[in-house]
Amino acid sequence: MKLGFGRSLLRALRAQKKISKQIEKAVKATRGRTKRKTSRPPKPILVETTAFGSNPGRLVMKSFVATTRLPKNPALVVLLHGCHQTPESLDAAAGFSKLAKERGFVLLCPQQKRANNSQNCFNWFRPSAVARDRGELCSIKQMIEHICERHRVDRSRIFVAGLSAGGAMTGALIANYPSLLAGAAIIAGMPFGSARDAMSALRAMKSGATPPLGGWGRPIAEISPEAKAWPAITIWQGMEDRVVKPVNALACVAQWLEVQGIAESSGRLEEKPWGRLQSWNMSGQLKVALYSVANMGHGLPIKKRKSVTALRSGDPYVIPVEISAPAEMMRLWGLSRFRI
């Protein structure tokens, strides 16, 4: 009896040991799979393209193209970030890639390098950077051409929006290539030709740009005298902006009214819950509009969310207020929700 009991106990211990080893092996395998999953970096939303042209401005090209929701000939939206930003930080706060997926357009996000500007600003104040077919402006144009060819973009629906230094570059893009664009948004930006170097740029931002001889329309008329048509331009400005003085937005308005031969007195003024809207139309079409946003500093306005935990955007230059600039752009540009 004792011998039989001993053998039974030995078999039980061996079986238990075998089960323990199997459990240990399974746990290790699970840990390995979990480690591999957690260590794998998330797939980037914006994808970099390295070969798109000669790239004289030495910029980085990033874009978002929805693989499952894209029409045959999509629209293109070009988004130019501000100083101290990246395309990723601006997109994460403002949601342009989400809008691109919902509305079936291609999103292009040129990026500045710190080697070009220590503050990560586009060099809108350097004449060589904003001249036609030169510098950073040429790099952006090459990106647009590359993505148009690659994704069969509808060239009658190319739009651009820029914040701060990106807003000033937006003005340069319109001034040099007016026929390229169908619509543009200059957000907390500067009038084209308002500075020639970093020092004059800072003075203009803080105190207001000085009009050039011949008026604000002259710098544009000199480089694009053949232009007959211009894209619809919206100008966005926080009324409490301490980085770019709001008087610069008025200079931007004067510039684009003058170059199109539109009288300032012909505009329409509307008081809104979020601030003030001034608009100028010709033949029933919007040509220039100024969105003056109350209680807002330097940045891009987005609509406040109801959640108490979502009062901040995650980017100090994307500011929750009572109006959404991205949503208004989508409406004005006719970029409705895309259905397959």
Side-chain angles (χ1 to χ4, degrees):
M1 287 291 293
K2 287 183 179 181
L3 183 61
F5 176 75
R7 288 176 177 172
S8 298
L9 181 60
L10 183 61
R11 284 197 297 270
L13 289 172
R14 285 175 177 171
Q16 186 177 3
K17 189 175 181 181
K18 184 177 181 181
I19 292 171
S20 297
K21 285 183 177 180
Q22 290 175 341
I23 293 173
E24 186 179 354
K25 186 177 180 180
V27 169
K28 284 182 178 180
T30 302
R31 285 176 179 170
R33 287 195 297 271
T34 304
K35 187 176 182 180
R36 284 194 296 273
K37 286 181 180 179
T38 56
S39 62
R40 185 179 300 166
K43 187 177 180 180
I45 294 175
L46 301 177
V47 178
E48 182 176 342
T49 300
T50 54
F52 59 85
S54 60
N55 192 17
R58 301 183 302 277
L59 301 181
V60 178
M61 176 180 176
K62 292 182 178 178
S63 61
F64 172 81
V65 182
T67 56
T68 56
R69 295 177 60 82
L70 199 66
K72 184 178 179 181
N73 299 111
L76 171 64
V77 172
V78 183
L79 181 63
L80 299 173
H81 66 79
C83 301
H84 307 290
Q85 284 184 317
T86 64
E88 286 82 1
S89 69
L90 178 55
D91 178 55
F96 277 90
S97 61
K98 182 180 179 182
L99 290 169
K101 187 174 182 180
E102 292 174 350
R103 296 164 188 264
F105 62 83
V106 175
L107 178 64
L108 170 63
C109 300
Q111 180 175 352
Q112 181 61 285
K113 290 181 179 179
R114 291 201 181 276
N116 296 338
N117 186 293
S118 61
Q119 305 301 312
N120 228 33
C121 309
F122 290 107
N123 291 303
W124 60 272
F125 47 83
R126 292 181 183 169
S128 61
V130 295
R132 183 178 296 179
D133 299 333
R134 292 180 62 192
E136 293 175 13
L137 197 66
C138 181
S139 293
I140 295 170
K141 175 72 158 41
Q142 289 178 348
M143 293 180 198
I144 293 173
E145 291 297 333
H146 178 84
I147 209 161
C148 282
E149 293 176 7
R150 186 172 181 181
H151 298 289
R152 296 179 296 180
V153 165
D154 181 350
R155 289 179 177 267
S156 69
R157 294 195 300 153
I158 300 176
F159 309 94
V160 59
L163 169 61
S164 191
M169 285 298 286
T170 295
L173 194 65
I174 307 166
N176 283 277
Y177 307 109
S179 62
L180 180 69
L181 305 168
I186 300 171
I187 307 151
M190 297 291 295
F192 179 73
S194 57
R196 296 191 63 83
D197 53 39
M199 291 302 296
S200 61
L202 287 172
R203 285 196 300 269
M205 290 163 60
K206 294 292 184 183
S207 303
T210 303
L213 293 175
W216 278 117
R218 183 177 175 182
I220 299 173
E222 287 179 344
I223 60 172
S224 295
E226 75 290 347
K228 302 299 181 184
W230 301 87
I233 302 167
T234 59
I235 296 158
W236 296 76
Q237 183 69 46
M239 296 172 75
E240 306 300 325
D241 195 333
R242 299 290 182 266
V243 178
V244 173
K245 194 171 182 179
V247 69
N248 288 301
L250 299 179
C252 284
V253 169
Q255 182 165 66
W256 294 109
L257 290 179
E258 186 176 326
V259 80
Q260 297 183 75
I262 302 172
E264 186 176 349
S265 59
S266 66
R268 178 185 179 188
L269 174 62
E270 300 173 76
E271 297 295 333
K272 299 287 187 178
W274 46 263
R276 186 169 59 245
L277 172 62
Q278 294 171 272
S279 56
W280 290 263
N281 295 348
M282 286 184 68
S283 303
Q285 292 186 329
L286 178 69
K287 293 298 180 180
V288 179
L290 172 60
Y291 291 74
S292 300
V293 185
N295 303 314
M296 191 184 86
H298 186 69
L300 171 91
I302 58 170
K303 187 75 172 177
K304 284 182 180 177
R305 300 178 185 175
K306 294 181 179 180
S307 170
V308 177
T309 60
L311 294 178
R312 298 183 66 84
S313 70
D315 185 308
Y317 302 110
V318 177
I319 306 173
V321 288
E322 299 299 327
I323 184 174
S324 168
E328 183 71 352
M329 291 173 206
M330 297 299 105
R331 184 185 71 82
L332 292 173
W333 296 343
L335 299 175
S336 57
R337 290 183 180 271
F338 173 63
R339 292 177 176 82
I340 297 177

mmCIF file of all heavy atoms in Angstrom, residues 14 25 52 61 80 105 118 166 176 216 302 332:
data_model
loop_
_atom_site.group_PDB
_atom_site.id
_atom_site.type_symbol
_atom_site.label_atom_id
_atom_site.label_comp_id
_atom_site.label_asym_id
_atom_site.label_seq_id
_atom_site.Cartn_x
_atom_site.Cartn_y
_atom_site.Cartn_z
ATOM 1 N N ARG A 14 5.029 14.849 -10.783
ATOM 2 C CA ARG A 14 5.572 15.029 -12.135
ATOM 3 C C ARG A 14 4.559 15.733 -13.053
ATOM 4 O O ARG A 14 4.904 16.619 -13.848
ATOM 5 C CB ARG A 14 5.950 13.681 -12.721
ATOM 6 C CG ARG A 14 7.227 13.097 -12.128
ATOM 7 C CD ARG A 14 7.468 11.705 -12.673
ATOM 8 N NE ARG A 14 8.736 11.162 -12.174
ATOM 9 C CZ ARG A 14 9.121 9.888 -12.346
ATOM 10 N NH1 ARG A 14 8.333 9.042 -13.033
ATOM 11 N NH2 ARG A 14 10.283 9.468 -11.873
ATOM 12 N N LYS A 25 5.548 28.644 -19.832
ATOM 13 C CA LYS A 25 5.855 28.846 -21.250
ATOM 14 C C LYS A 25 4.789 29.715 -21.922
ATOM 15 O O LYS A 25 5.102 30.615 -22.713
ATOM 16 C CB LYS A 25 5.952 27.481 -21.941
ATOM 17 C CG LYS A 25 6.407 27.569 -23.396
ATOM 18 C CD LYS A 25 6.537 26.179 -23.986
ATOM 19 C CE LYS A 25 6.986 26.245 -25.442
ATOM 20 N NZ LYS A 25 7.112 24.891 -26.034
ATOM 21 N N PHE A 52 10.482 64.907 -54.373
ATOM 22 C CA PHE A 52 9.363 65.611 -55.004
ATOM 23 C C PHE A 52 9.839 66.739 -55.909
ATOM 24 O O PHE A 52 9.033 67.443 -56.501
ATOM 25 C CB PHE A 52 8.410 66.159 -53.941
ATOM 26 C CG PHE A 52 9.060 67.111 -52.962
ATOM 27 C CD1 PHE A 52 9.185 68.461 -53.266
ATOM 28 C CD2 PHE A 52 9.536 66.650 -51.741
ATOM 29 C CE1 PHE A 52 9.782 69.337 -52.373
ATOM 30 C CE2 PHE A 52 10.134 67.528 -50.839
ATOM 31 C CZ PHE A 52 10.259 68.873 -51.151
ATOM 32 N N MET A 61 8.348 67.436 -46.976
ATOM 33 C CA MET A 61 7.004 67.225 -47.502
ATOM 34 C C MET A 61 6.306 66.118 -46.728
ATOM 35 O O MET A 61 6.798 64.997 -46.647
ATOM 36 C CB MET A 61 7.068 66.850 -48.990
ATOM 37 C CG MET A 61 5.711 66.511 -49.590
ATOM 38 S SD MET A 61 5.851 66.068 -51.356
ATOM 39 C CE MET A 61 4.138 65.601 -51.705
ATOM 40 N N LEU A 80 -0.163 75.134 -43.916
ATOM 41 C CA LEU A 80 1.155 75.667 -43.557
ATOM 42 C C LEU A 80 1.175 76.026 -42.075
ATOM 43 O O LEU A 80 0.422 76.908 -41.636
ATOM 44 C CB LEU A 80 1.472 76.897 -44.408
ATOM 45 C CG LEU A 80 1.529 76.655 -45.932
ATOM 46 C CD1 LEU A 80 1.677 77.971 -46.677
ATOM 47 C CD2 LEU A 80 2.660 75.704 -46.288
ATOM 48 N N PHE A 105 -10.597 64.706 -49.433
ATOM 49 C CA PHE A 105 -9.570 65.503 -50.087
ATOM 50 C C PHE A 105 -8.183 65.057 -49.632
ATOM 51 O O PHE A 105 -8.025 64.375 -48.614
ATOM 52 C CB PHE A 105 -9.768 67.012 -49.833
ATOM 53 C CG PHE A 105 -9.675 67.446 -48.388
ATOM 54 C CD1 PHE A 105 -8.461 67.700 -47.766
ATOM 55 C CD2 PHE A 105 -10.838 67.649 -47.646
ATOM 56 C CE1 PHE A 105 -8.384 68.123 -46.453
ATOM 57 C CE2 PHE A 105 -10.777 68.072 -46.316
ATOM 58 C CZ PHE A 105 -9.546 68.308 -45.718
ATOM 59 N N SER A 118 15.549 78.775 -36.657
ATOM 60 C CA SER A 118 15.657 78.194 -35.312
ATOM 61 C C SER A 118 14.323 78.129 -34.580
ATOM 62 O O SER A 118 14.154 77.328 -33.662
ATOM 63 C CB SER A 118 16.659 78.996 -34.474
ATOM 64 O OG SER A 118 16.227 80.336 -34.331
ATOM 65 N N GLY A 166 3.044 80.687 -41.421
ATOM 66 C CA GLY A 166 2.395 79.961 -42.509
ATOM 67 C C GLY A 166 1.340 80.806 -43.203
ATOM 68 O O GLY A 166 1.109 80.664 -44.407
ATOM 69 N N ASN A 176 2.209 85.030 -55.920
ATOM 70 C CA ASN A 176 3.045 84.512 -56.992
ATOM 71 C C ASN A 176 2.326 83.559 -57.928
ATOM 72 O O ASN A 176 2.665 83.480 -59.116
ATOM 73 C CB ASN A 176 4.266 83.812 -56.402
ATOM 74 C CG ASN A 176 5.324 84.781 -55.912
ATOM 75 O OD1 ASN A 176 6.139 85.262 -56.685
ATOM 76 N ND2 ASN A 176 5.312 85.082 -54.619
ATOM 77 N N TRP A 216 -0.666 98.982 -50.700
ATOM 78 C CA TRP A 216 -0.435 97.564 -50.415
ATOM 79 C C TRP A 216 -0.570 96.670 -51.647
ATOM 80 O O TRP A 216 -0.006 95.585 -51.709
ATOM 81 C CB TRP A 216 -1.386 97.080 -49.328
ATOM 82 C CG TRP A 216 -0.929 97.408 -47.949
ATOM 83 C CD1 TRP A 216 -1.540 98.218 -47.035
ATOM 84 C CD2 TRP A 216 0.263 96.928 -47.313
ATOM 85 N NE1 TRP A 216 -0.799 98.275 -45.877
ATOM 86 C CE2 TRP A 216 0.302 97.495 -46.025
ATOM 87 C CE3 TRP A 216 1.302 96.091 -47.713
ATOM 88 C CZ2 TRP A 216 1.329 97.245 -45.129
ATOM 89 C CZ3 TRP A 216 2.342 95.835 -46.828
ATOM 90 C CH2 TRP A 216 2.356 96.400 -45.551
ATOM 91 N N ILE A 302 -10.783 77.177 -33.158
ATOM 92 C CA ILE A 302 -11.591 75.975 -33.342
ATOM 93 C C ILE A 302 -12.777 76.057 -32.385
ATOM 94 O O ILE A 302 -12.720 76.754 -31.375
ATOM 95 C CB ILE A 302 -10.798 74.666 -33.097
ATOM 96 C CG1 ILE A 302 -10.208 74.646 -31.684
ATOM 97 C CG2 ILE A 302 -9.726 74.478 -34.149
ATOM 98 C CD1 ILE A 302 -9.616 73.301 -31.296
ATOM 99 N N LEU A 332 -16.953 77.103 -47.058
ATOM 100 C CA LEU A 332 -16.673 78.057 -48.131
ATOM 101 C C LEU A 332 -16.060 77.384 -49.353
ATOM 102 O O LEU A 332 -16.307 77.803 -50.488
ATOM 103 C CB LEU A 332 -15.741 79.148 -47.615
ATOM 104 C CG LEU A 332 -16.318 80.106 -46.566
ATOM 105 C CD1 LEU A 332 -15.222 81.012 -46.022
ATOM 106 C CD2 LEU A 332 -17.453 80.933 -47.134
#
